[in-house]
Amino acid sequence: MEIRERHRQLSIVFHPDKQRDDESRASATKFFYEIQRAYEGEFYYSFGSVVSKWTSY
């Protein structure tokens, strides 16, 4: 349950549509898709490292 909650929180923060300028949109898009891939299981083993990497924003 914790993984699902963190996925939702990070997805909201880094969603490309939430970003105002082009520079932050580009980096948020990269992080958003990295989070999506990790959650979907493609890189499931690394989801913990993705969460810890981007929760210190």
Side-chain angles (χ1 to χ4, degrees), residues 5-6 9 12 18 24 32 50-51:
E5 292 169 9
R6 288 305 292 162
Q9 291 171 350
I12 290 170
K18 300 279 185 178
S24 64
F32 179 76
V50 170
V51 170

Side-chain angles (χ1 to χ4, degrees), residues 1-40:
M1 193 79 110
E2 180 181 325
I3 290 175
R4 190 168 111 191
E5 292 169 9
R6 288 305 292 162
H7 170 257
R8 288 188 56 130
Q9 291 171 350
L10 291 173
S11 294
I12 290 170
V13 170
F14 290 111
H15 196 281
D17 292 341
K18 300 279 185 178
Q19 310 307 315
R20 295 178 188 261
D21 58 43
D22 290 335
E23 184 178 323
S24 64
R25 182 171 292 155
S27 61
T29 301
K30 176 185 168 191
F31 303 145
F32 179 76
Y33 286 119
E34 185 176 344
I35 291 165
Q36 293 300 102
R37 284 194 316 266
Y39 182 73
E40 290 173 355

Side-chain angles (χ1 to χ4, degrees), residues 37-57:
R37 284 194 316 266
Y39 182 73
E40 290 173 355
E42 186 173 336
F43 298 104
Y44 186 75
Y45 64 90
S46 67
F47 186 74
S49 64
V50 170
V51 170
S52 64
K53 182 177 174 183
W54 301 117
T55 54
S56 60
Y57 55 91

